[in-house]
Amino acid sequence: MEEKPAHEERAFLGPPEPVEHMSIGHYVATRVPTLKPVMDKVENPFKLLALLNLQQWMFFLVAFFAWSWDAFDFFTVSLTVEDLAESFGKTKTDITWGITLVLMLRSVGSIIFGVAADRWGRKWPFIINNILFIVLELGTGFCSTYESFLGVRSLFGIAMGGLYGNAAATALEDCPEAARGIISGMLQQGYAFGYLLATIFSRAFVNTVGHGWRPLFWFGAGPPVLIILFRLSLPETQAYQERQRIRESTPNAAKVFLEEGKIALKNHWLLLIYMVLLMAGFNFMSHGSQDLYPTMLSTQYNFSPNAVTVTQVVANLGAMTGGTVIGYCSSIFGRRFSIIFISIVGGALLYPYCFVDNTKIIGPAFFEQFCVQGAWGVIPIHLMELSPGSFRTFVVGTSYQLGNLVSSASSTIEATIGERFPLPPKGKVKRYEYGKVICIFMGCVYAYVILLTFIGPEYRGRKFDVAHDNDMAEATHRDQAAMKHVLEGDEEKGQRGSIQDIKQ
């Protein structure tokens, strides 16, 4: 028998069965030993990236561009709040309801598009998702009333929620195992890249070419056309094609899919709850460190608009760097260790990030977001490896979006805490010591993320192919050898190798 490489033997940090099958005492006893850095020997980043073939690169790029433009579309509202408020005769708070509705309805989209992608494939739900982006961004640009604006943005929340899980599955399902960490980090930073694009194009289109804020949204409807054409030129992922081949080898593929869902819920319900709680912490971490930061710079430290913009851009450059670097490092040290380590560093940097009151704060801003998004860089592959194979798109997307829903109150929480630390007003503008607020809030969030990551599982190196999926074996009553026979085209051996036959 061929001997497995050492990194594969350690891949599941415990037995290759879900941790729900362990006793509580055994599981608790494994938390500290499994946190020890695995110190796997990993090639340099350029050699890892060279492992991807052309099709795998195309899958990554189409997922990255779609995720980046998803973020762009989200930030178009937050960057034009004042113009929208003036256009509709409403307050800024009224307009931010458009942002809140998007966050609230994202989980609806992740459920709809996640189940569709797991049942019918990644390709067409992805394309429909981007068609909705085109329609709804155009629709936003033509809104003439506040009510229609809220309606369109609500629908946009559903469309936005459907993309993340599909993008992660598209980029990572067929990715070589050794390169998963760095590809995960690069994919996640599409969010920061989308913010940078939104900042650039809002400067280019808002109040410069006529029609006020509307050209930014009309422009936003254009690139998804190219993304759709890009995805149309690519097939389904190999991992999904194999899974569908197993389903179709049974008398009723739809029935098998439903059975997979029942088995996944029965075997992994505790893990699914954990993933939502973990993603709530991660979303609190990003929103808590970012949402009120420009307000702190402008009102507490009197930064000019240009200085605020420069600081934000540098912070996002730090985010993109951190996500890629820590994603890569997670393949060396492990997913959990990498998240915990960089979260501790981020906590240590909170003081300069929040209390330096001059332009030197640009350095702490770079490195704090390096840490925040560094931890985030591990998340796409960590969630993919934790998720049941039959429902990767649904579980990754829904856990992310439910966590986002929980964290949507972060700005309100920070603003409420800020009222306890007032500063002398600047004219009619009320001022609060938001630096202290962000520091307190983020300290608590980092502690929460570290604790949740510590007690959670890690399945680093998990095989994504259907032949290694115990849930699918149970749903189809076949062992892994039988499923391999089906994939090789030997239906007769595949039928004879059922679990029932083996038991008899």
Side-chain angles (χ1 to χ4, degrees):
M1 182 181 291
E2 183 180 351
E3 185 178 355
K4 290 185 178 181
H7 75 273
E8 287 191 17
E9 294 291 344
R10 294 196 300 269
F12 284 86
L13 300 184
E17 293 295 320
V19 293
E20 291 91 334
H21 296 166
M22 289 187 190
S23 68
I24 295 176
H26 183 198
Y27 180 75
V28 171
T30 64
R31 293 306 84 205
V32 173
T34 57
L35 192 62
K36 181 181 177 181
V38 292
M39 303 302 292
D40 273 349
K41 186 176 180 180
V42 177
E43 297 284 359
N44 70 63
F46 298 104
K47 288 185 178 180
L48 290 181
L49 296 178
L51 293 176
L52 276 70
N53 60 35
L54 178 61
Q55 186 177 93
Q56 291 163 347
W57 267 115
M58 293 301 100
F59 280 142
F60 166 75
L61 289 173
V62 75
F64 177 83
F65 290 139
W67 177 228
S68 297
W69 211 253
D70 185 311
F72 172 94
D73 291 340
F74 175 74
F75 286 115
T76 50
V77 172
S78 59
L79 291 170
T80 55
V81 168
E82 291 186 10
D83 299 278
L84 289 163
E86 183 179 350
S87 180
F88 295 131
K90 297 291 182 178
T91 65
K92 294 179 185 177
T93 304
D94 291 330
I95 298 302
T96 57
W97 265 104
I99 300 173
T100 303
L101 286 171
V102 167
L103 295 174
M104 290 173 63
L105 290 169
R106 275 181 173 183
S107 54
V108 176
S110 68
I111 293 170
I112 294 171
F113 286 96
V115 171
D118 287 324
R119 174 63 184 92
W120 292 292
R122 318 310 189 200
K123 184 172 184 175
W124 289 104
F126 184 97
I127 289 169
I128 293 170
N129 220 161
N130 279 276
I131 290 172
L132 289 176
F133 286 164
I134 295 169
V135 173
L136 295 171
E137 279 292 89
L138 283 174
T140 304
F142 285 106
C143 284
S144 58
T145 65
Y146 175 66
E147 290 73 21
S148 62
F149 168 77
L150 290 183
V152 170
R153 297 313 290 181
S154 298
L155 294 174
F156 182 77
I158 296 174
M160 173 176 271
L163 188 79
Y164 184 79
N166 199 326
T170 300
L172 294 167
E173 265 188 333
D174 290 353
C175 182
E177 191 275 328
R180 287 180 188 173
I182 191 170
I183 292 297
S184 171
M186 291 167 63
L187 174 67
Q188 182 61 38
Q189 297 326 304
Y191 187 81
F193 184 59
Y195 175 82
L196 287 179
L197 291 177
T199 302
I200 292 168
F201 286 111
S202 66
R203 289 273 182 143
F205 289 113
V206 176
N207 297 319
T208 59
V209 295
H211 306 287
W213 50 270
R214 299 179 189 274
L216 179 63
F217 292 87
W218 295 332
F219 170 76
V225 175
L226 301 177
I227 294 170
I228 289 170
L229 294 174
F230 191 177
R231 189 64 184 94
L232 281 170
S233 68
L234 299 173
E236 289 288 356
T237 63
Q238 186 67 33
Y240 175 78
Q241 289 184 53
E242 291 181 353
R243 188 170 298 277
Q244 189 65 4
R245 205 175 306 156
I246 296 293
R247 289 172 182 159
E248 291 176 351
S249 70
T250 66
N252 191 329
K255 184 178 179 181
V256 170
F257 179 72
L258 292 175
E259 186 65 20
E260 291 173 68
K262 294 176 184 177
I263 291 168
L265 188 61
K266 178 188 72 174
N267 291 342
H268 311 296
W269 64 270
L270 187 60
L271 183 60
L272 302 181
I273 293 172
Y274 166 79
M275 291 169 71
V276 173
L277 294 176
L278 180 67
M279 294 317 298
F282 267 81
N283 279 288
F284 269 120
M285 188 163 64
S286 55
H287 287 295
S289 64
Q290 295 168 359
D291 290 358
L292 285 182
Y293 201 67
T295 304
M296 180 197 80
L297 295 175
S298 60
T299 62
Q300 183 176 344
Y301 297 137
N302 300 312
F303 276 39
S304 67
N306 283 340
V308 171
T309 299
V310 170
T311 305
Q312 288 290 90
V313 168
V314 171
N316 275 274
L317 292 174
M320 288 187 282
T321 306
T324 304
V325 170
I326 305 303
Y328 169 73
C329 289
S330 74
S331 293
I332 303 172
F333 304 111
R335 315 298 187 207
R336 290 166 62 229
F337 179 85
S338 297
I339 292 171
I340 290 173
F341 175 80
I342 203 64
S343 294
I344 292 172
V345 175
L349 289 172
L350 283 175
Y351 183 83
Y353 181 67
C354 298
F355 292 101
V356 173
D357 60 0
N358 55 55
T359 53
K360 291 181 180 179
I361 202 172
I362 199 168
F366 177 93
F367 287 107
E368 182 64 37
Q369 287 306 312
F370 179 101
C371 294
V372 170
Q373 294 303 318
W376 265 105
V378 184
I379 284 299
I381 190 57
H382 190 39
L383 295 184
M384 285 282 290
E385 290 170 337
L386 291 178
S387 298
S390 298
F391 290 89
R392 285 194 193 108
T393 305
F394 166 74
V395 171
V396 171
T398 302
S399 60
Y400 172 86
Q401 300 301 355
L402 285 176
N404 218 341
L405 175 62
V406 173
S407 72
S408 62
S410 58
S411 295
T412 303
I413 294 171
E414 286 186 317
T416 303
I417 297 173
E419 293 176 359
R420 296 174 177 266
F421 305 103
L423 291 171
K426 185 165 57 176
K428 294 183 179 181
V429 178
K430 293 183 178 180
R431 299 168 66 239
Y432 301 99
E433 202 170 347
Y434 283 129
K436 184 178 292 185
V437 173
I438 293 172
C439 190
I440 294 171
F441 185 81
M442 285 298 297
C444 296
V445 170
Y446 273 130
Y448 174 86
V449 168
I450 291 168
L451 176 63
L452 261 287
T453 305
F454 174 76
I455 66 175
E458 177 179 339
Y459 296 158
R460 190 180 61 84
R462 187 176 198 168
K463 299 293 185 182
F464 288 163
D465 60 305
V466 70
H468 288 83
D469 188 343
N470 292 337
D471 290 348
M472 177 62 88
E474 185 177 347
T476 57
H477 306 292
R478 291 170 173 156
D479 65 356
Q480 293 180 350
M483 290 194 290
K484 286 181 180 178
H485 286 311
V486 173
L487 296 176
E488 291 166 358
D490 194 336
E491 293 284 346
E492 185 178 349
K493 285 186 178 180
Q495 296 298 331
R496 284 204 305 265
S498 70
I499 292 174
Q500 290 175 341
D501 290 339
I502 293 170
K503 287 181 178 178
Q504 292 172 359

